[in-house]
Amino acid sequence: MRRISLTVNGVQHEGMVEPRQLLVYFLREQLGLTGTNVGCDTSTCGACTILVNGNAAKSCTLLAVQADGAEITTIEGLASNGEMHPLQKAFHENHGLQCGYCTPGMIMASLDLIANNDDLNDEDVRIGLEGNLCRCTGYQNIVKSVQQAAGEMRSPAST
Amino acid sequence: MIPAEFDYELAESGEHALQLLEQHGDEAKLLAGGHSLLPLMKLRLATPSMLIDIGRLDDMSYISDDGDAIAIGALTRHEVVEGSDVLKEHCAIVAHTAGEIGDRQVRHFGTIGGSLAHGDPASDLPTVMLALDAQVVVRSSSGERTVAANEFFTGLFETALGPTDLLTEIRVPKLTGGWSYQKFHHRAQDWAIVGVAAVQRNGGASVALTNMGEVPLRASGVEQALASGNDAAAAAEEAAENTSPPSDPFGSADYRRALAKVLTRRALQEAMGR
Ligand SMILES: Cc1cc2nc3c(=O)[nH]c(=O)nc-3n(C[C@H](O)[C@H](O)[C@H](O)COP(=O)(O)OP(=O)(O)OC[C@H]3O[C@@H](n4cnc5c(N)ncnc54)[C@H](O)[C@@H]3O)c2cc1C
Ligand code: FES
Ligand code: FES
């Protein structure tokens, strides 16, 4: 067992983990943060996407020990004071989800995409989210949601 | 899916990683980004008893202009390679191809050293390295050596790296001519069904193929046809010569042979037009 210490959604956590413990199971089972979903468990679907030091990552393909010392953001870290994050609000308003299974990963991947690109057209959003699969929506409304949120996040005055 | 049990050591320096490799030998595997190794370990297709994590060796992540060549540290993430201004100026095919790998999440963790060391014939960067005649710098406790790309990939998931070797740097030449990497895949994030790298160099063109055999292959038939005056379309007809492509649910071997010719023609036309 190894001791790891990491910050998740601004809160410092310590844990004892087996080296083979995957980060997603550490978050879900040890910290009880079940918002991050496991879809494929084979690095393909992106449902398990979180931010590690600000970078979108598939948490089913990282060991918890690799995240020792890291700053992690999960879907639970987005809303503040009971207010949904612009991305959450946009997915809600634009039917950016149906069953919702892919949604936490879609939102975390979108957050990374928006933060790293000043100007995104629809094609950029589609390519930027290539690592996230949705079985329900057909993506149209996901792209719409990301565009609405990107606009809102860039002009915070309008909120 | 959970990997089989293993012990874990965090390497604090390249030297330390080499010491740990000496100590644990065959039983140990290096862990860089883990985006090839961990999926295999989860499927228990790989069951190393020790992982030596080199993922935090930040001094092995760099891209520097070294006169005739660009030196790329083995731990440089695909995302950094993709965005590198030095590479975009002097060897843009490497930056472009790194950006074609997987998806953003994968590019945040996967490293160029891991891509080469893994020896997967469906990987994109090995093909580009072969077309560029890149040099691979390898260190072990007995010293440093340089291996040419055409001697590096020795078999399916096998390379010139021994169990106690650390790949430290990749050296690519500066290009003055055109280039192209054509990757054909059925969904955006996927691996290449077939890929073709073409680079104008030394008055001719070098062409290499992804996923057309157990290792990345140089399309020497195409190169010779060009050298003897054939145009791109005619030369591309030689692309499937001496290949042994796999058959899988994405395409039969015959389909891949046909695809290799089409992609080679497109790659040559793009490289010559650039
Ligand atoms: C969903 C997904 C999609 C992908 N799509 C593509 C794609 O389209 N094209 C593509 O080319 N790749 C693709 N990849 C693979 C990705 O590029 C990998 O990250 C890369 O191949 C391996 O890099 P790594 O740093 O993750 O290596 P690791 O997984 O850490 O290591 C791979 C192997 O190399 C060895 N190794 C690593 N570094 C060194 C070193 N410095 N010296 C000696 N040995 C070393 C390890 O011991 C291990 O055996 C994909 C991966 C995933 C998960
Ligand atoms: S669960 Fe991690 S990518 Fe699908
Ligand atoms: S909403 Fe069901 S998978 Fe995307």
Side-chain angles (χ1 to χ4, degrees):
Chain A
M1 302 287 269
R2 286 183 76 94
R3 176 173 299 282
I4 59 168
S5 142
L6 64 183
T7 309
V8 183
N9 302 328
V11 181
Q12 182 80 19
H13 291 274
E14 301 242 331
M16 292 297 287
V17 295
E18 270 190 275
R20 63 174 172 163
Q21 169 102 75
L22 296 165
L23 182 56
V24 69
Y25 294 117
F26 176 76
L27 294 170
R28 288 179 57 86
E29 292 169 9
Q30 247 148 302
L31 301 186
L33 294 171
T34 53
T36 303
N37 288 338
V38 177
C40 63
D41 210 357
T42 55
S43 327
T44 309
C45 74
C48 64
T49 301
I50 59 169
L51 301 188
V52 177
N53 297 325
N55 287 323
K58 291 178 173 175
S59 58
C60 73
T61 313
L62 285 174
L63 300 171
V65 289
Q66 286 177 287
D68 187 18
E71 299 244 358
I72 307 279
T73 311
T74 68
I75 189 73
E76 287 92 343
L78 294 199
S80 67
N81 304 323
E83 279 272 328
M84 281 198 282
H85 184 276
L87 270 163
Q88 292 171 308
K89 197 155 77 67
F91 272 69
H92 176 66
E93 288 172 0
N94 295 288
H95 295 283
L97 61 145
Q98 287 178 26
C99 80
Y101 204 82
C102 69
T103 315
M106 283 289 176
I107 290 185
M108 299 315 291
S110 303
L111 190 58
D112 165 77
L113 185 67
I114 295 170
N116 288 291
N117 294 279
D118 293 333
D119 192 19
L120 291 168
N121 62 32
D122 287 359
E123 180 72 7
D124 299 331
V125 174
R126 287 176 185 276
I127 293 174
L129 296 179
E130 66 190 334
N132 294 72
L133 303 181
C134 176
R135 300 279 80 171
C136 304
T137 62
Y139 301 99
Q140 199 66 26
N141 289 340
I142 291 179
V143 175
K144 214 163 130 192
S145 306
V146 173
Q147 291 292 32
Q148 177 184 316
E152 200 172 314
M153 287 161 69
R154 293 203 175 105
S155 53
S158 67
T159 49
Chain B
M1 290 182 303
I2 314 287
E5 275 182 55
F6 56 85
D7 288 326
Y8 172 89
E9 290 272 5
L10 183 61
E12 267 137 35
S13 64
E15 278 311 314
H16 186 211
L18 290 176
Q19 279 169 20
L20 289 167
L21 281 173
E22 280 297 325
Q23 228 172 303
H24 299 282
D26 262 354
E27 301 294 292
K29 275 259 172 215
L30 295 169
L31 177 75
H35 273 51
S36 286
L37 185 54
L38 292 176
L40 284 184
M41 289 174 64
K42 287 171 68 178
L43 295 168
R44 309 226 174 169
L45 294 172
T47 52
S49 59
M50 158 72 72
L51 282 192
I52 301 168
D53 189 353
I54 54 173
R56 292 175 197 241
L57 300 182
D58 293 339
D59 58 343
M60 281 174 63
S61 169
Y62 56 84
I63 297 170
S64 57
D65 188 331
D66 217 5
D68 291 341
I70 307 295
I72 310 171
L75 261 294
T76 313
R77 313 271 167 186
H78 301 321
E79 178 205 16
V80 175
V81 172
E82 176 186 3
S84 159
D85 289 333
V86 177
L87 282 172
K88 281 182 197 161
E89 183 178 348
H90 295 296
C91 200
I93 188 172
V94 178
H96 167 83
T97 304
E100 293 284 294
I101 293 174
D103 49 55
R104 288 173 67 79
Q105 289 95 319
V106 170
R107 295 194 294 274
H108 284 145
F109 283 88
T111 65
I112 189 167
S115 262
L116 270 54
H118 196 57
D120 183 338
S123 283
D124 300 301
L125 287 172
T127 307
V128 170
M129 296 305 147
L130 192 63
L132 290 170
D133 287 311
Q135 303 280 319
V136 180
V137 184
V138 179
R139 259 175 69 196
S140 72
S141 46
S142 54
E144 188 173 281
R145 64 187 199 277
T146 301
V147 185
N150 67 357
E151 290 173 354
F152 186 79
F153 304 102
T154 53
L156 190 64
F157 296 106
E158 279 177 26
T159 66
L161 293 170
T164 56
D165 284 337
L166 176 68
L167 195 171
T168 55
E169 188 177 278
I170 295 104
R171 302 175 65 81
V172 295
K174 289 187 178 172
L175 292 184
T176 47
W179 56 272
S180 174
Y181 185 69
Q182 297 288 324
K183 177 175 179 173
F184 196 84
H185 41 176
H186 81 140
R187 284 178 318 200
Q189 70 171 172
D190 280 332
W191 296 79
I193 297 173
V194 173
V196 178
V199 179
Q200 275 193 316
R201 283 169 63 219
N202 311 327
S206 352
V207 181
L209 310 171
T210 303
N211 218 3
M212 286 296 288
E214 297 203 331
V215 291
L217 297 171
R218 267 300 265 274
S220 17
V222 177
E223 295 176 4
Q224 280 155 16
L226 285 170
S228 45
N230 289 284
D231 66 7
E237 286 301 309
E238 309 297 319
E241 207 169 284
N242 295 325
T243 61
S244 49
S247 283
D248 62 24
F250 297 125
S252 64
D254 279 342
Y255 175 70
R256 283 190 161 87
R257 286 191 198 97
L259 199 50
K261 295 180 192 175
V262 175
L263 296 177
T264 299
R265 173 172 47 78
R266 289 184 193 160
L268 288 172
Q269 284 167 346
E270 188 177 39
M272 288 165 174
R274 241 198 249 261

